[in-house]
Amino acid sequence: MKRKADKPQAAAPVSAFAARKARQQQAQSAAAAVEKPVAFEPAGEPPSKKARRSPEEATAGEQERTQPRRSTRRKDVDPVEQPAEEARRVTRSHKAPQPKAQDIAPSTEEHASSDAESEAENAAVEEANGVGFTPLQGDDDEYESPADTPVQMQDFPLSKTRLNKNNVVYSDEHRLCVRIKEKMSLVFIGHYDLWVKRGVVSLMGAKLHPSSRVYRVYAPSTHSLPVIKCVSGVDGAAEVEVKSCHSGIYRLRHLSPLYERVWNSKNTAADKLTLKNVSPSTKRTFSVLYTSADDSLKRHLRPLHLEKQWSSAIKSLSQRGGRLRALICGPKGSGKSTFSRYLLNHLLSPAPQTETSHRNTDGVAFLDLDPGQPEFSPMGQVYLAHLRSPVFGPPFSHPSLDDSRNGTIVRAHHIGANSPKEDPDHYVLAAKDLMDRYRSLLADYPQCPLIINYPGWIFGLGLEVATYLVSSLGLSDVVYMSDKGPAEVIEPLGQAASQAKVPLTILPSQPTDFVSRSSAQLRSMQMQSYFHMTHPSDMETPLWHGQPLARTQPFQVHYSGPNQDIQGIMVMGSQIHPDLLSEVLEGSIVAIVAVESSNALLGSTSTPDSTTTTPAVAVDAASDIIMADDDDHTNRPQPATTDLSSNIARTPESLPYLFAGSGSSNPFDPRKSHSLGLALVRSIDPASHTIDLATPIPSSRIQRARQHGHALVLVRGLLDNPNWAISEDYYAARSEQKRYRDSLEKLAKRNTSKAVVDAEEARRQQRVAEMLKDRVRRASTNVPWMTVIEDHRNRQADGAAGTQREKGLWKLRKQAYAGSGSEGEGDW
């Protein structure tokens, strides 16, 4: 008779915390077995050169070289693929510097394995035939890289609730209503509308009570999945309805491979249980997951859970109510954005007054000082937002707030880079101006708390800026997101907080070991989402269009002549020759900045008294647009227009080049200017003196700025190149070709009874196929760094290898000490 302990047991799913701890212990033991740690080197730093071997080791190595080696080449390599296989083997053995993660676009192998698995995902998912990205070298990101070592894909538990006929209230092809018992949870992947009908549930820090309000939730595989947990219920259970939504964000997968394999794929076992009475091909925009093994695409899915210390800190901070002024800071990758989002949602929870002494009716102010990873804005900006509703989703699901129900942007300033280290003085001035705007906001919303999200620039000069903000912004709390120090950061930060009489809370970081997108890729996704998102006036939620920007109607502005709209064009950074301005500007991302005063340039000696004929013309042009629907505009006084002509030089194309400074251009004073948003310069026409812009900025916002007499200036910063915009037409052509092929295959299956296809119909299909193929070929010529591969067998064979790099996982390596180079980082 076997004892109970001797019985073989199935491997149970392990939590994310246990798996991360086990991997860390395994990595530490492996490192200790390979080499002895050097006393004077920081942990994790590789030696500067190879260690000298002992005579015994040298002899053993010589014997090893004389022994015949066993071939590791795959035996099933096709002769046609042998040159490519040899090239890959040579590349792997080459000792060149490893390319950095934020500059590596999805590799050819990643596309192959990705699309091979996503054939069953949706009919419109593109096939992986023909694109290879050339990785860029020499970036300074030392914190994330492709996962070279194989990662064990473990079965992580996601939902504690198992669906059955007892807890499924009703279901159809669009909706699913379930009962969740107290302390039980349910996880969905995809995007959906959530309606709490009975009981109280928690979601991403918010406690949602029964009401008629419907919340839009975005749960992509690129981030940890939000967990719906029952806090309290009626008869011990809460009742929620989850409904499919069609915002159009899934259309972005036709424009970029970064959006592939992001949402739900095939129906899971739980989905099939609740879709018994409908067509087998029916699929909702969400899927229920019990464990990560339920995912048909086998992605690296994890639930979004919080440390207990995080939860207690959020509850403690929320007790301050309207008096809360919290600065969240810490190293890169420590969870600052996640903690800020949870705290924000917790403060915005529509909880009854009996549950807490504070009932939030004035919203929450969110001061985002992280231009590299903003929450409600595109890259390169710092801003003050006023939120009135919880937000459930990653940043690329809400890249802007345009007077929506969720909130609005009170004021924004264009930094022009992903890092404030480019101009710390201008960064501090912008932060102080936004804090002044918050104090003005308190006049209308006196019980509005404030959350300040500080970037991971916490070492060196960044620490000095942080301590200055702690001592000058009038805070109530400072939260540092790393219990491992270092001491050279904790001590000055604690001293500044003590002098300002502000408590300092130190919390453990909660990083993610592996992610499916690098920082640069997430920035591209957020920027692409920003330019494709619209806010219809008759809808509460945004929509996304799937048309390439090159095929949309441009926003045309005049930069010279009698109808001049743009008063100046500025290039941040080094001074350039005026003859090169058009080349620098065309195809770049620019900010549309509204300049409120003639002496807005920092260090400029220009005065409001300087005159020119240009402002008067601009006033007339503005008044024609603004007062078009005003019946009594004849007696309206014309606003004074800002004059910037003293610092403008005309280029050969008559572009108004705005430059003031020595070596680099002086930025605008944040107290006398603000950013309206970003635009993509599509083309410049010197003949008509016009610039075609692609921008999601509402025309009403631009008209409002011109009505106040503000000068509009295009500012070209140091943001990432919009490679995603240049390649959109190519991916759209591939997607169209893929959809047409799929339609022909479906038609052929339905017409199996016909032995002969009509000749005329066959010729028509051939013409359409050739036309689509030619469109793909012509679109590929516009993207020089993409290589069209005609023989797809190499990529398919590579994707079958199944390494973690080919599966698209990125390994995060966080270093929190002063000598790690964090001060020079552009990604936080």
Side-chain angles (χ1 to χ4, degrees):
M1 181 176 180
K2 283 189 176 182
R3 293 178 299 174
K4 184 176 181 180
D6 296 335
K7 292 182 179 180
Q9 298 180 2
V14 295
S15 65
F17 297 117
R20 183 164 63 235
K21 185 176 181 180
R23 284 196 299 268
Q24 291 174 352
Q25 293 177 351
Q26 184 179 2
Q28 292 175 359
S29 60
V34 172
E35 60 179 9
K36 297 180 179 180
V38 183
F40 55 83
E41 289 185 349
E45 280 292 311
S48 58
K49 58 183 180 180
K50 291 184 178 180
R52 182 176 301 174
R53 297 189 300 174
S54 63
E56 293 79 8
E57 292 174 340
T59 304
E62 186 67 26
Q63 293 176 356
E64 182 181 358
R65 285 194 296 269
T66 59
Q67 295 294 331
R69 293 187 177 182
R70 185 173 57 184
S71 176
T72 58
R73 182 182 300 177
R74 298 199 310 267
K75 297 182 180 180
D76 55 348
V77 176
D78 190 87
V80 179
E81 303 177 14
Q82 187 169 353
E85 178 69 19
E86 291 292 336
R88 283 189 294 273
R89 184 171 58 84
V90 172
T91 303
R92 285 193 294 266
S93 62
H94 187 57
K95 300 300 182 180
Q98 182 71 19
K100 305 301 185 257
Q102 77 252 27
D103 280 339
I104 302 181
S107 62
T108 308
E109 294 85 359
E110 178 187 339
H111 289 175
S113 61
S114 168
D115 290 331
E117 293 175 344
S118 61
E119 283 294 333
E121 180 176 358
N122 290 297
V125 174
E126 305 167 2
E127 65 177 353
N129 293 338
V131 179
F133 287 85
T134 302
L136 303 179
Q137 302 280 349
D139 203 280
D140 59 350
D141 191 353
E142 300 177 356
Y143 288 90
E144 55 187 352
S145 60
D148 297 321
T149 57
V151 182
Q152 184 179 1
M153 302 299 291
Q154 296 173 332
D155 184 8
F156 279 80
L158 299 175
S159 301
K160 293 182 179 180
T161 300
R162 296 274 176 167
L163 299 185
N164 52 53
K165 61 181 181 180
N166 295 326
N167 53 23
V168 176
V169 182
Y170 55 84
S171 65
D172 55 30
E173 65 271 20
H174 303 295
R175 299 177 299 172
L176 172 63
C177 183
V178 298
R179 293 189 183 96
I180 307 175
K181 294 183 179 180
E182 292 183 3
K183 298 183 180 180
M184 302 299 284
S185 61
L186 197 61
V187 172
F188 298 88
I189 184 173
H191 43 101
Y192 52 91
D193 289 331
L194 178 66
W195 176 28
V196 181
K197 303 179 67 175
R198 302 174 65 185
V200 181
V201 300
S202 65
L203 176 65
M204 295 183 67
K207 286 186 178 180
L208 306 180
H209 293 252
S211 68
S212 59
R213 176 71 188 273
V214 176
Y215 299 93
R216 177 66 55 86
V217 183
Y218 299 92
S221 62
T222 55
H223 294 71
S224 298
L225 301 178
V227 179
I228 303 175
K229 184 178 181 180
C230 176
V231 178
S232 62
V234 180
D235 297 331
E239 189 174 307
V240 298
E241 180 189 278
V242 182
K243 185 178 180 180
S244 294
C245 62
H246 301 280
S247 62
I249 192 171
Y250 53 85
R251 297 191 184 102
L252 297 180
R253 67 172 179 238
H254 304 319
L255 305 177
S256 172
L258 296 177
Y259 278 96
E260 291 181 1
R261 297 163 44 89
V262 166
W263 308 109
N264 58 314
S265 180
K266 292 181 179 179
N267 288 331
T268 62
D271 295 334
K272 295 175 181 178
L273 175 67
T274 58
L275 291 172
K276 286 184 176 181
N277 300 325
V278 298
S279 173
S281 60
T282 302
K283 193 180 70 171
R284 307 185 183 104
T285 63
F286 61 89
S287 293
V288 182
L289 295 177
Y290 296 147
T291 68
S292 57
D294 296 337
D295 181 33
S296 61
L297 299 182
K298 304 303 177 184
R299 290 167 290 189
H300 197 72
L301 303 180
R302 297 294 180 267
L304 185 56
H305 288 302
L306 288 189
E307 298 271 1
K308 291 184 178 180
Q309 297 183 32
W310 282 32
S311 301
S312 59
I314 289 175
K315 293 179 181 179
S316 176
L317 293 173
S318 62
Q319 295 297 325
R320 302 188 185 278
R323 298 178 289 106
L324 178 66
R325 315 282 188 267
L327 173 69
I328 315 299
C329 60
K332 175 195 172 184
S334 57
K336 301 181 299 297
S337 299
T338 303
F339 183 86
S340 300
R341 194 180 304 125
Y342 264 71
L343 178 59
L344 173 69
N345 289 340
H346 191 77
L347 292 171
L348 289 171
S349 297
Q353 195 163 358
T354 56
E355 186 173 308
T356 176
S357 59
H358 171 68
R359 183 187 177 104
N360 191 321
T361 58
D362 291 347
V364 177
F366 189 81
L367 177 54
D368 199 340
L369 299 180
D370 189 350
Q373 292 182 348
E375 184 72 26
F376 302 104
S377 169
M379 307 299 118
Q381 295 195 150
V382 293
Y383 61 91
L384 174 67
H386 184 211
L387 282 301
R388 295 180 289 272
S389 176
V391 179
F392 306 111
F396 67 77
S397 66
H398 46 258
S400 67
L401 295 175
D402 199 12
D403 298 328
S404 63
R405 182 175 180 178
N406 291 332
T408 183
I409 299 293
V410 178
R411 190 174 177 87
H413 295 299
H414 187 64
I415 301 300
N418 296 328
S419 170
K421 66 182 178 62
E422 303 296 336
D423 194 345
D425 295 334
H426 181 232
Y427 176 75
V428 172
L429 290 176
K432 294 181 66 176
D433 177 73
L434 295 177
M435 194 65 186
D436 292 338
R437 295 290 169 166
Y438 167 71
R439 297 187 181 98
S440 302
L441 185 68
L442 291 176
D444 297 326
Y445 304 95
Q447 294 298 318
C448 179
L450 174 67
I451 301 174
I452 304 176
N453 182 32
Y454 189 75
W457 187 45
I458 198 63
F459 300 102
L461 184 58
L463 178 60
E464 296 183 12
V465 174
T467 54
Y468 173 76
L469 295 179
V470 169
S471 59
S472 61
L473 295 185
L475 305 176
S476 66
D477 292 271
V478 177
V479 180
Y480 184 74
M481 304 297 299
S482 177
D483 56 355
K484 297 182 179 179
E488 52 265 32
V489 173
I490 295 293
E491 293 177 359
L493 198 62
Q495 184 178 3
S498 177
Q499 293 177 355
K501 298 181 180 180
V502 178
L504 173 63
T505 303
I506 300 177
L507 297 177
S509 61
Q510 189 173 332
T512 303
D513 290 337
F514 293 93
V515 294
S516 60
R517 299 292 186 272
S518 66
S519 298
Q521 292 171 348
L522 290 176
R523 287 199 301 266
S524 297
M525 294 177 69
Q526 186 168 355
M527 194 71 80
Q528 192 169 23
S529 175
Y530 170 76
F531 276 92
H532 286 270
M533 189 176 68
T534 60
H535 289 273
S537 57
D538 56 342
M539 297 186 64
E540 297 179 355
T541 55
L543 296 177
W544 282 265
H545 67 86
Q547 192 174 10
L549 294 182
R551 297 179 178 268
T552 58
Q553 183 67 27
F555 183 68
Q556 193 174 78
V557 295
H558 291 81
Y559 62 80
S560 183
N563 299 319
Q564 184 175 356
D565 303 310
I566 300 299
Q567 305 300 317
I569 299 173
M570 175 186 290
V571 178
M572 303 181 70
S574 301
Q575 182 179 7
I576 64 171
H577 195 276
D579 294 347
L580 303 177
L581 181 61
S582 61
E583 297 183 9
V584 173
L585 193 65
E586 198 164 19
S588 64
I589 298 291
V590 297
I592 302 181
V593 177
V595 183
E596 306 162 3
S597 175
S598 299
N599 57 351
L601 284 169
L602 292 174
S604 176
T605 57
S606 60
T607 62
D609 297 329
S610 52
T611 58
T612 184
T613 57
T614 302
V617 173
V619 172
D620 296 337
S623 60
D624 291 340
I625 297 177
I626 297 166
M627 303 177 186
D629 55 352
D630 193 346
D631 297 333
D632 190 23
H633 65 274
T634 55
N635 298 325
R636 182 188 295 268
Q638 300 293 334
T641 305
T642 304
D643 180 21
L644 301 173
S645 59
S646 59
N647 296 302
I648 288 179
R650 292 286 175 175
T651 68
E653 299 86 1
S654 296
L655 291 171
Y657 182 27
L658 176 62
F659 184 87
S662 176
S664 61
S665 182
N666 295 333
F668 290 112
D669 190 342
R671 297 168 297 180
K672 303 173 184 179
S673 65
H674 63 279
S675 175
L676 302 179
L678 300 185
L680 174 65
V681 180
R682 285 179 44 176
S683 63
I684 301 175
D685 188 0
S688 60
H689 292 178
T690 58
I691 301 177
D692 287 348
L693 300 176
T695 178
I697 304 175
S699 58
S700 59
R701 188 183 304 175
I702 298 178
Q703 292 176 3
R704 193 181 308 119
R706 298 179 63 178
Q707 185 178 11
H708 288 84
H710 299 164
L712 300 182
V713 176
L714 301 183
V715 180
R716 165 74 154 90
L718 304 175
L719 299 178
D720 298 338
N721 291 328
N723 299 336
W724 53 266
I726 303 174
S727 59
E728 279 185 350
D729 199 29
Y730 175 80
Y731 286 114
R734 278 182 54 202
S735 180
E736 183 68 23
Q737 185 184 41
K738 173 67 167 55
R739 289 197 294 269
Y740 185 70
R741 289 176 180 174
D742 292 343
S743 65
L744 292 182
E745 292 179 0
K746 292 180 180 178
L747 183 63
K749 291 180 180 179
R750 288 198 299 265
N751 299 335
T752 53
S753 59
K754 296 182 180 180
V756 181
V757 181
D758 182 68
E760 182 64 27
E761 178 64 20
R763 286 194 295 269
R764 188 193 67 82
Q765 294 177 0
Q766 183 66 22
R767 286 196 303 269
V768 175
E770 291 294 333
M771 182 178 60
L772 293 176
K773 184 178 180 180
D774 183 66
R775 179 188 169 187
V776 173
R777 186 183 302 109
R778 285 185 286 107
S780 64
T781 60
N782 297 328
V783 192
W785 64 86
M786 296 172 61
T787 303
V788 178
I789 303 174
E790 298 297 340
D791 188 359
H792 317 303
R793 290 175 296 177
N794 293 345
R795 297 182 58 205
Q796 293 173 356
D798 294 341
T803 64
Q804 291 306 316
R805 177 183 294 196
E806 292 160 352
K807 289 182 179 180
L809 288 184
W810 300 82
K811 185 175 182 179
L812 303 184
R813 295 180 288 117
K814 185 170 70 74
Q815 300 176 358
Y817 54 88
S820 63
S822 298
E823 183 179 342
E825 282 298 291
D827 299 321
W828 300 305

